[in-house]
């Protein structure tokens, strides 16, 4: 589709989902109003004088993303677009889209290196690149190739611009990396982060040698079993898996017709060392996860031949108070003054509650728009009365609340999926298989800013509750995806032009991406194990680097350290025997608990023993209020899920401390 401005009106044009021109004698068009008639042809006309002839537009073949959409479901998408346009005319008169100037490739790649935590490979800080060298040593072969490609582009661009500061040669960077690895006296610490489950995965998780043109064959990943349930392998780099499966991707492409049953029932296999979810790691480790996720996402897109370019955030003038059209971060700061610890905008929460209180069984929920003028008036009234607590929610009709919810998402100055990664979300449609699309979405969710990610999670959970009532409200996952996609993917701040053919492909693709986000949302907030292992390796390598730098000082302090360790052991009562862990709860109890490790002991069992104590604060606590944490060793801090097998995790991180505490808000 394409918005065409003229003095006589605005025209939204699009091809009909069938990919063929419709004739004027179409029986569907007879007897209907002009807007409906135009829509049947695939052309939305806001002013009949501005219409164009469909016969001049050549038909085109369906894309793979279009194969998963039927004509009826696409009709809901175009109708929503028309509703958005009408709403925009009423609520945002005179607003113009901001056309983004595309930065050159060198600037984009330089920004990419900064986002990946590798800014000190070039520029004024290039002489202090040792930290980046340690980080590079943890990368897989495909990840190293992605980094090398960007470093080469930046180096070439800087040379063309005759920059005066140091420009390293990419060969020098990876040569330093190899040299650092060769100097390492032993890699036992690095090997310790492997689990029994992924030892036989071969070299996929091993640090890259830096020689990205290495001809050694990549170990084969077992092919997916052609069944209704498909495992998502989180132990091996997604990009490495893509290399293995690339030749088979066309044969294995899963084409769907848009209904729930046609999408595979992906699942995550149980991991004995525990599943790590977003929010389980300390900030310093989460930062490394984001660096690695960006590199992995780029490597995956590179392997699959899909272009991935980040979009620079557009600086637009925004209000610093209010509800609609306010940046999420400012809105949350405003809300947190009212309700400390708020992670999701209060107005967003209240609109969802208002819709649900009106019953999720209402037919056409989210699809049928509220009255435009009434929604505009409600918007203005909310701005004036929401924080005062004087707004009358009982008078808000359910469809009006749904329209306000969608308006809130559209009016965000920066899109909920973020300006930087909106194009990457759109490009998901171009990945060949549903599994690879899901892997990319997993990495993209990790990369979102906290406020965006938390709000997206609340939205997807709400949409799933709507879908759970589809027998009554007639809103299947496909219907909901069609209605919501334009509200998340059409950003008024990005006035990017494209052909009608391309616009239609984007419509079909973004609707499919929205469908995947809803359907697989429980999998998307998981941090892949191979990335957590890379964080462990980086921490171990960094510790080894620090130990070597302080070797003389440590020798000098050895006596004092041993003395203090003996005192600490005495304070704990005795040395901890082999096969026993000591669990502490410093905020809840002064006494630590010694627990014998067994093959079947889980984190939930440790918590149960602590909570079953007959005295102290533990007696008043309930399950879900406190959690067992793995702290130190090769990880900063990690909250354990109930199904973590403690003996397996102990072997993975023998130097960790085990602490019971509540999760930070």
């Amino acid at each position: 589709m394409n918005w065409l401005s003229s003095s006589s009106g605005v025209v939204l044009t699009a091809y009909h989902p069938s990919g063929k021109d419709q004739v004027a004698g179409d029986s569907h068009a007879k007897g209907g109003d002009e807007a409906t008639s135009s829509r049947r042809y695939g052309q939305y006309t806001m002013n009949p004088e501005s219409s164009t002839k469909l016969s001049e537009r050549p038909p085109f073949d369906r894309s793979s993303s279009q194969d998963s959409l039927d004509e009826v479901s696409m009709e809901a998408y175009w109708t929503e677009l028309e509703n958005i346009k009408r709403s925009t005319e009423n609520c945002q008169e005179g607003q113009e889209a901001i056309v983004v100037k595309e930065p050159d490739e060198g600037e984009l790649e330089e920004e990419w290196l900064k986002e990946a935590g590798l800014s000190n490979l070039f520029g004024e800080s290039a002489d202090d690149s040792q930290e980046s060298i340690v980080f590079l040593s943890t990368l897989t072969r495909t990840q190293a190739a992605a980094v090398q490609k960007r470093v080469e582009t930046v180096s070439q661009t800087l040379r063309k611009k005759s920059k005066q500061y140091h420009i390293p040669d990419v060969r020098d960077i990876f040569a330093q990396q190899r040299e650092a690895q060769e100097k390492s006296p032993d890699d036992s610490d690095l090997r310790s982060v492997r689990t029994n489950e992924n030892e036989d995965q071969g070299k996929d998780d091993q640090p890259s040698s830096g020689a990205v043109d290495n001809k050694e064959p990549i170990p084969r990943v077992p092919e997916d079993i052609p069944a209704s349930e498909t495992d998502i392998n989180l132990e091996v780099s997604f990009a490495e898996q893509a290399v293995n499966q690339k030749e088979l991707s066309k044969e294995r492409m899963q084409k769907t017709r848009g209904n729930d049953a046609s999408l595979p029932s992906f699942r995550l296999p149980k991991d004995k060392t525990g599943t790590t979810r977003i929010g389980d790691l300390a900030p310093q480790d989460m930062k490394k996860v984001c660096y690695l996720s960006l590199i992995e996402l780029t490597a995956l897109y590179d392997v699959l031949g899909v272009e991935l370019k980040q979009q620079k955030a557009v600086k637009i003038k925004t209000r610093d108070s209010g509800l609609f059209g306010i940046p999420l971060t400012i809105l949350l700061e405003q809300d947190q003054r009212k309700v400390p610890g708020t992670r999701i905008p209060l107005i967003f929460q209240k609109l969802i509650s208002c819709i649900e209180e009106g019953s999720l069984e209402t037919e056409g929920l989210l699809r049928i728009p509220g009255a435009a003028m009434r929604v505009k008036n409600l918007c203005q009234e909310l701005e004036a009365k929401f924080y005062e607590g004087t707004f009358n929610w009982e008078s808000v009709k359910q469809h009006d609340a749904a329209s306000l919810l969608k308006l809130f998402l559209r009016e965000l100055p920066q899109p909920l999926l973020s300006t930087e990664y909106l194009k990457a979300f759109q490009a998901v449609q171009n990945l060949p298989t549903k599994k690879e699309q899901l892997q990319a979405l997993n990495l993209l969710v990790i990369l979102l800013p906290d406020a965006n990610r938390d709000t997206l999670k609340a939205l997807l959970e709400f949409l799933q509750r709507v879908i759970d009532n589809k027998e009554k409200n007639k809103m299947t996952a496909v219907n909901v995806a069609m209605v919501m996609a334009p509200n998340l993917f059409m950003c008024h701040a990005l006035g990017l032009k494209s052909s009608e053919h391309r616009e239609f492909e984007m419509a079909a693709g973004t609707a499919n991406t929205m469908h995947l986000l809803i359907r697989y949302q429980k999998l998307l907030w998981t941090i892949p194990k191979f990335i957590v292992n890379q964080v462990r390796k980086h921490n171990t390598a960094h510790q080894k680097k620090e130990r070597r730098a302080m070797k003389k000082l440590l020798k000098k302090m050895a006596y004092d350290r041993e003395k203090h360790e003996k005192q600490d052991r005495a304070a704990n009562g005795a040395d901890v025997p082999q096969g026993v862990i000591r669990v502490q709860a410093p905020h809840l109890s002064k006494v630590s608990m010694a627990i014998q490790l067994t093959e079947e002991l889980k984190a939930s069992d440790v918590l149960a023993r602590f909570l079953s104590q007959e005295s102290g604060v533990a007696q008043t606590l309930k399950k879900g209020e406190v959690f067992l944490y793995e702290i130190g060793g090769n990880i900063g801090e990690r909250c354990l899920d109930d199904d973590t097998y403690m003996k397996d995790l102990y072997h993975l991180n023998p130097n960790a401390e085990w602490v019971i505490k509540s999760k930070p808000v």
Side-chain angles (χ1 to χ4, degrees):
M1 78 258 154
N2 205 9
W3 293 116
L4 304 178
S5 300
S6 69
S7 58
S8 57
V10 179
V11 180
L12 169 62
T13 57
Y15 285 108
H16 190 278
S18 65
K20 299 178 180 179
D21 293 340
Q22 301 295 303
V23 297
D26 190 332
S27 60
H28 292 295
K30 295 179 179 178
D33 61 26
E34 192 163 15
T36 304
S37 176
S38 297
R39 191 165 63 250
R40 296 297 183 187
Y41 301 155
Q43 174 176 298
Y44 289 85
T45 307
M46 299 304 161
N47 188 320
E49 295 177 6
S50 304
S51 61
T52 55
K53 294 180 181 180
L54 280 170
S55 59
E56 296 176 359
R57 304 191 189 100
F60 59 91
D61 296 330
R62 285 174 177 267
S63 68
S64 59
S65 62
Q66 292 161 7
D67 285 337
S68 66
L69 304 170
D70 56 38
E71 296 180 10
V72 176
S73 62
M74 283 304 297
E75 180 78 4
Y77 186 99
W78 306 127
T79 302
E80 181 66 16
L81 273 178
E82 189 172 6
N83 293 334
I84 290 173
K85 178 55 184 173
R86 288 173 178 167
S87 171
T88 301
E89 288 175 338
N90 280 281
C91 297
Q92 293 290 327
E93 295 177 1
Q95 183 176 13
E96 295 181 1
I98 298 174
V99 179
V100 180
K101 182 182 178 181
E102 292 281 358
D104 64 41
E105 190 174 13
E107 290 175 336
L108 284 173
E109 305 300 31
E110 189 172 335
E111 189 66 28
W112 184 92
L113 288 168
K114 289 178 182 177
E115 291 291 326
L118 295 169
S119 59
N120 55 4
L121 288 180
F122 62 92
E124 296 176 356
S125 59
D127 293 328
D128 185 29
S129 60
Q130 286 305 308
E131 179 61 31
S132 292
I133 300 303
V134 172
F135 181 72
L136 287 171
S137 71
T138 69
L139 302 185
T140 64
R141 185 173 358 193
T142 50
Q143 290 172 348
V147 172
Q148 181 168 337
K149 181 179 177 182
R150 273 77 199 170
V151 171
E152 287 173 344
T153 302
V154 171
S155 298
Q156 291 169 7
T157 303
L158 294 179
R159 288 190 180 96
K160 286 178 183 178
K161 293 181 177 180
S162 300
K163 292 288 187 181
Q164 297 303 312
Y165 50 70
H166 179 58
I167 305 170
D169 189 292
V170 67
R171 291 168 295 184
D172 295 336
I173 293 172
F174 286 94
Q176 289 180 59
Q177 178 191 338
R178 288 193 296 273
E179 186 180 345
Q181 289 177 338
E182 289 167 3
K183 285 182 179 179
S184 179
D186 77 85
D187 61 351
S188 59
D189 289 337
L190 290 177
R191 288 199 302 268
S192 71
V193 301
R194 292 191 175 277
T195 64
N196 294 333
E197 288 75 31
N198 70 357
E199 280 179 347
D200 59 352
Q201 291 294 340
K203 299 176 183 177
D204 284 337
D205 288 328
Q206 290 284 9
S208 166
S209 67
V212 296
D213 56 348
N214 196 323
K215 298 300 182 183
E216 293 180 14
I218 298 174
R220 298 291 298 178
V221 178
E223 295 182 15
D224 295 334
I225 300 173
S228 59
E229 273 200 341
T230 308
D231 288 352
I232 299 293
N233 188 342
L234 297 181
E235 296 188 357
V236 179
S237 158
F238 296 154
E240 299 287 354
Q241 294 180 49
V243 170
N244 290 325
Q245 302 297 342
K246 193 174 180 181
E247 295 301 320
L248 301 174
S249 62
K250 290 184 179 180
E251 299 175 10
R252 300 169 51 75
M253 187 179 295
Q254 302 172 34
K255 296 185 178 180
T256 65
R257 292 297 301 173
N259 51 41
D260 291 318
S262 63
L263 288 179
S265 297
F266 290 118
R267 71 181 184 90
L268 301 179
K270 289 289 185 181
D271 180 2
K272 284 197 167 186
T273 59
T275 300
T276 306
R277 296 179 179 84
I278 295 172
D280 286 350
L281 295 177
Q284 65 268 26
D285 283 338
M286 192 61 200
K287 192 174 183 180
K288 295 169 190 171
V289 166
C290 290
Y291 291 158
L292 290 162
S293 295
L294 176 57
I295 296 172
E296 176 64 18
L297 178 72
T298 308
L300 178 63
Y301 276 49
D302 282 355
V303 167
L304 297 174
V306 175
E307 186 179 34
L308 175 62
K309 286 189 176 181
Q310 285 181 266
Q311 181 69 56
K312 280 192 174 183
V314 185
K315 291 184 179 180
I316 57 177
K317 189 175 181 180
T318 60
R319 294 178 297 151
D320 56 4
S321 64
L323 298 175
F324 296 87
I326 307 298
L328 272 178
T329 50
I330 293 177
L331 188 57
L332 283 172
E333 288 173 5
Q334 191 173 267
D335 289 347
Q336 286 165 0
R337 288 195 288 269
K338 298 283 184 180
V339 182
T342 298
R343 297 174 64 91
I344 300 161
L346 295 177
I347 181 63
F348 192 76
Q349 295 182 50
K350 188 59 183 176
L351 287 170
I352 288 176
S353 298
C354 184
I355 296 168
E356 292 186 325
E357 287 168 7
S359 175
L360 292 178
E361 296 182 353
T362 303
E363 188 169 339
L365 187 61
L366 297 177
R367 178 175 55 80
I368 298 174
M373 286 306 298
R374 196 163 60 228
V375 170
K376 180 181 180 181
N377 292 334
L378 285 170
C379 182
Q380 294 172 347
E381 192 177 350
L382 277 166
E383 291 279 6
K385 299 180 179 180
F386 178 72
Y387 285 115
E388 294 178 0
T390 57
F391 183 80
N392 182 15
W393 284 98
E394 294 181 1
S395 65
V396 180
K397 299 180 183 296
Q398 192 180 31
H399 291 300
D400 291 346
S403 291
L404 285 167
L405 181 74
K406 292 185 287 186
L407 177 66
F408 173 85
L409 294 171
R410 293 196 307 274
E411 289 302 301
L412 288 172
Q414 304 296 341
L416 185 63
L417 300 180
S418 82
T419 302
E420 291 84 353
Y421 300 112
L422 186 62
K423 282 188 175 181
F425 273 100
Q426 292 171 340
V428 165
Q429 64 177 309
N430 300 323
L431 302 181
T433 68
K434 283 289 181 284
K435 176 181 279 190
E436 286 158 347
Q437 291 173 7
L438 181 58
Q439 290 169 337
L441 287 175
N442 182 196
L443 297 169
L444 283 165
V445 165
I446 292 172
L447 286 169
L448 287 176
D450 291 345
N452 299 58
R453 193 193 307 121
D454 292 337
T455 305
L456 176 64
K457 190 172 191 292
L459 173 65
L460 296 178
E461 289 171 348
F462 163 67
L463 296 180
Q464 185 57 57
R465 294 194 293 273
V466 172
I467 295 164
D468 290 341
N469 290 272
K470 62 186 176 184
E471 297 301 325
K472 296 284 187 180
N473 61 32
K474 310 302 180 186
M475 295 298 291
T476 64
V478 171
N479 297 142
V480 171
M482 289 293 160
V483 170
M484 295 305 300
N487 293 283
L488 263 69
F489 287 94
M490 284 185 64
C491 178
H492 63 76
L494 301 178
L496 303 177
K497 298 179 180 179
S498 57
S499 66
E500 289 180 358
H501 186 164
R502 177 59 179 157
E503 290 286 0
F504 186 90
E505 288 182 338
M506 289 301 297
T510 55
N512 270 319
T513 299
M514 191 73 220
H515 190 185
L516 294 175
L517 283 168
I518 299 170
R519 173 68 187 272
Y520 300 118
Q521 58 184 282
K522 291 184 178 178
L523 308 182
L524 299 179
W525 266 255
T526 302
I527 301 175
K529 182 176 179 179
F530 71 88
I531 288 181
V532 177
N533 280 349
Q534 285 181 288
V535 171
R536 292 183 187 275
K537 292 173 186 177
H538 179 262
N539 290 340
T540 301
H542 186 72
Q543 290 165 4
K544 288 174 69 176
K545 177 175 172 287
E546 288 184 337
R547 284 199 297 268
R548 286 195 299 270
M550 298 181 66
K551 191 173 182 180
K552 292 182 179 180
L553 179 61
L554 290 175
K555 281 184 176 180
K556 186 177 179 181
M557 298 171 60
Y559 174 77
D560 290 336
R561 189 176 67 252
E562 185 178 353
K563 181 180 178 181
H564 286 302
E565 286 175 354
K566 287 181 179 179
Q567 290 174 348
D568 290 339
R569 287 195 293 268
N572 286 327
D575 291 341
V576 179
Q578 185 70 24
V580 175
I581 60 172
R582 188 168 292 280
V583 182
Q584 301 175 345
H587 300 295
L588 305 172
S589 174
K590 294 181 180 179
V591 181
S592 61
M593 180 183 295
I595 297 180
Q596 177 70 49
L597 292 173
T598 65
E599 295 293 337
E600 300 303 319
L601 182 71
K602 295 183 180 180
S604 58
D605 300 324
V606 175
L607 279 171
R609 292 188 193 183
F610 179 82
L611 296 175
S612 65
Q613 293 181 116
E614 297 181 359
S615 60
V617 181
Q619 190 177 17
T620 63
L621 294 173
K622 298 178 182 178
K623 186 178 179 181
E625 293 180 355
V626 291
F627 303 86
L628 181 59
Y629 278 78
E630 164 197 9
I631 298 177
N634 53 40
I635 202 78
E637 181 175 293
R638 176 172 171 253
C639 182
L640 306 182
D641 72 59
D642 286 347
D643 291 330
T644 302
Y645 285 83
M646 296 305 298
K647 192 169 185 178
D648 292 84
L649 184 56
Y650 174 78
H651 290 315
L652 177 67
N653 191 6
N655 296 320
E657 295 180 1
W658 313 98
V659 179
I660 293 175
K661 63 176 185 174
S662 58
K663 210 168 188 178
V665 178

